[in-house]
Each structure stands twice: as C-alpha cells, then as structure tokens.
Amino acid sequence: MASLEGLSPVCELPDPMTTCDLIRPHDLSPADAQSWRDMAVATPDFRSPLLSPEFAQAIAQVRDDVWVAIYRRNGQTIGFLPHHRRPGRLARPVGAPFSDYTALITAPDPVITIAEALRLARIDRFQVIGLIDPYGVFGDIGGDSDDACGIDLTQPLDHIPHKHAKNINRLRRRLEEQHGEVRFITPDRNPAHFDMMLRLKREQARTTGLHDFLGPTWVDALMHQLFAAPSEGLRGQMLTLTAGGKGIIFHYGVRLGDVMHPWISSFDPAFSAFSPGQLFLAGCADVLKADGVNYYDLSTGEQHYKNAFGNTHRVVTHGRVYGDTTGGRFSARTTAWAREAGQSLPPRIVEITSRLNRRVDQICALELNAPDRLKGLWRAAQAMPQRLKSPEGRG
C-alpha cells in the first residue's frame, strides 16, 4: 500500500479558504465524481477518456499508488488532479506512460496555479505528458512541444489528397485480389485477435529495440481488465482490419462514450507491402461512426502517417513542473541550470540526451521496482545505437 509520506489527507494553504483532499479514486463521492464529469463536459479539451474519473479508478485496480487531489475553495470544488505518488515527492499523471494527456481538471477561471496545487498535495515534482491547459493553470512550463492528432468524425473527411487516396485504393484492391475481402471488425471481442495484437506489438518492441511496455504485470492486468469490461462505461475496445477473414492490423485502446483513444497499433509484418496502417486509417471512419464513435484520438507520435489522416491538430507539451515548496524550488533551479549548460553542447548530443531522458522516464513509469528498472535501463543502453538510426515512437 502506497503511503502519503506521513501527511494528513487534508492539507491547507496559508489561505484557509483553499483546501486539498487526497483520496483514493474509489473513494470519490458520487457528488465529486459528477462534478469531475461536469467539468469535462463544460470544457471539450477535457473530454479524453484518459482524463476521466473512470480511468483513474481503472488504474487504481492494478496499482496501489493512485490518488486524486480534490481542490476546494470556500467549500466549492474547483479542480481534480489524479496522479501516481512516487518516492521522493515525485508524481506522474495517472496511468503513465499510457496517460498521453495531462491536465488539472477545472471549471473556467479556476483561481489556482499548478505550483499552488502541487504545494497543496505536497508534491515537489510532477512529470507532464501531453499537457492540456485551456485555462493557463500551468503557465509556460518550457519542455518539448508535440503535435496531437485526431479524427473528428462529425466533420467531413475530405482532407486526404486525391493522389494519396488513389494510391490507397490501389493497395486495397491488390490486397483483396491476393488475400480476399477486406473489412473491419469493431468492437472486435475475439480473444485470439486480442492475444495476436499483444504478441505482435511485443515482437515489434524486441525487433526495434523499444522497451517492452506491455510486459509489466500491472500493464498486462490493465489491458485484460479493460478488454473484459462491459460495453457501458469505460472499456477497452479493439478495431481490427481483416483480409480474407485474417486479422492483419489491430488498434486497441480505451473508450468512454463517443470518444476512443487507441494506445496500441500492431500489424502482421507479412502484409507490410500493402501499407496496412494507411489502409486502416483511410477506411476506419465509417465503421467507427456506425459504432457511435465521434472522435478517434490518435494523440502524439508517428506523425508521418497521423498528419495525413487526422483532421484535428493541437500542440501539447511534455516536461516537468514544480510545486511551490522548498524541494520543488530546488529542483526547478537544478533543472534550469542543466538546461543552460546543455545549450552549449552540439545539437546531436542534445538530441541524444533528450531521447535518452525520455526513455528513462518511460521505463521508470512502467517498472515499479529497482531490479526491473535496472534491467530495462540496461536493455535501453544496448539498444540505443539501433534506436538512434530510426524514428522514435512507442507505437
């Protein structure tokens, strides 16, 4: 059982009107859970399943370090920050590294800053993945900018260039001529397809030198738990493209309401000559709409194909923010010093260091004990020369 490091579950700022309750996700009152959902409805930027109370509760079923900071002013709820509490007063977004987005869920005009929010929750450092900050709570955190893509299925999908669409149609016809009818299955509840999807992705990780992000026990439990979840509420959903009845490419992720967020894209390499990823994204819209999905969130990474098919784009930021605490201020100064020192290094060294830091952060988020982290870091060091020769991406 994770601890609160000896803290009272209720912390106060010098202003007694603003308080923070630290609770487990499954201890959310119905009123607080509904307030969280209402904030997401009021602010479309918060509509991702990854920012929902249901997602925090799902992660809490497979990990014991999940907490929710609930901020109140004069007794009125003003925000929610779900997170993992890690040693050394470090926190990560709940579900990291599968939490492709980070946000402090608030109503408009939240009257709180992230530095204050972290001080309330006794957090010195908070790792940020894909920051969504519509009300400026986080301010300018520096960090690395990234482009998040999605497919808004309520809008006309006429943005694919004619020449590109013509080539995709040619590939599809050739695939059907050689292997049989091409069609989609969603939701695909076939356990054999689910196992194949996981196996192909783990094989890809080994081949490309990526960390096996599906290997940790808690991740495996989460994937299976969501796949078995009922069709109401938060659940895992798989979308499969088949040729002649054989699954050739799979997207799997989390769905809540009319929004789906795929995490995993895996394909049978025997069909790579047919560009299955392009066939998938070019043809998935109609079947998703028929299944009630209005937004298919492709998030960040592998932009060489997402940009071609996504019709929504927004800039998000990856980085680290600091609490208004003694430890937080010290960490912020140390980070600023390291950033300044890095400016004098050759660009190639800066790139390598940045990529290595991202890999270390991912391994530390996935592996929860020292031996597994050391194994992961050792494998990452061995694979680094191979990874530097190819585009980075978790997939």
Side-chain angles (χ1 to χ4, degrees), residues 114-322:
I114 191 59
E116 293 168 337
L118 296 180
R119 176 172 64 174
L120 274 165
R122 298 297 190 267
I123 295 170
D124 290 343
R125 297 160 293 142
F126 186 68
Q127 194 70 34
V128 172
I129 305 171
L131 177 63
I132 295 176
D133 187 26
Y135 303 122
V137 171
F138 286 73
D140 182 7
I141 71 167
D144 299 320
S145 296
D146 208 345
D147 186 32
C149 302
I151 305 176
D152 184 346
L153 298 166
T154 68
Q155 300 298 317
L157 300 177
D158 54 3
H159 57 287
I160 301 175
H162 175 73
K163 184 178 180 180
H164 192 182
K166 185 176 179 181
N167 184 57
I168 291 171
N169 289 333
R170 178 184 60 80
L171 289 169
R172 182 185 180 114
R173 288 194 300 270
R174 186 154 62 91
L175 177 61
E176 289 191 322
E177 290 169 359
Q178 297 183 27
H179 295 280
E181 180 187 7
V182 173
R183 71 184 188 92
F184 283 91
I185 305 172
T186 188
D188 187 350
R189 309 299 302 169
N190 186 333
H193 281 172
F194 181 74
D195 292 340
M196 183 179 181
M197 177 269 300
L198 295 175
R199 175 178 58 79
L200 287 171
K201 197 62 186 180
R202 297 188 73 178
E203 288 177 355
Q204 180 192 4
R206 285 191 291 271
T207 300
T208 60
L210 283 167
H211 186 73
D212 182 7
F213 65 92
L214 294 172
T217 301
W218 73 269
V219 174
D220 183 70
L222 176 68
M223 297 300 159
H224 284 83
Q225 169 188 295
L226 290 171
F227 186 67
S231 58
E232 305 81 18
L234 185 85
R235 72 271 196 191
Q237 183 159 325
M238 184 164 62
L239 175 59
T240 302
L241 179 66
T242 65
K246 176 181 174 60
I248 64 171
I249 183 169
F250 311 87
H251 273 205
Y252 177 71
V254 66
R255 178 177 175 183
L256 183 62
D258 65 354
V259 180
M260 183 173 171
H261 186 110
W263 282 320
I264 301 169
S265 173
S266 60
F267 69 95
D268 186 337
F271 293 84
S272 59
F274 301 98
S275 298
Q278 295 194 63
L279 294 179
F280 184 100
L281 288 174
C284 68
D286 288 340
V287 70
L288 285 168
K289 285 193 288 187
D291 191 38
V293 175
N294 285 330
Y295 192 75
Y296 198 59
D297 195 331
L298 300 174
S299 186
T300 60
E302 297 193 37
Q303 298 302 324
H304 61 282
Y305 75 89
K306 290 182 181 179
N307 280 330
F309 298 97
N311 62 354
T312 70
H313 301 269
R314 64 178 168 192
V315 176
V316 297
T317 307
H318 313 300
R320 183 168 286 188
V321 294
Y322 303 92

Side-chain angles (χ1 to χ4, degrees), residues 13 15-20 70-79 109-112 116:
L13 283 172
D15 179 353
M17 294 186 296
T18 305
T19 62
C20 166
I70 306 177
Y71 301 99
R72 310 185 200 274
R73 187 172 181 82
N74 291 331
Q76 172 103 22
T77 303
I78 62 171
D109 301 321
V111 297
I112 193 170
E116 293 168 337

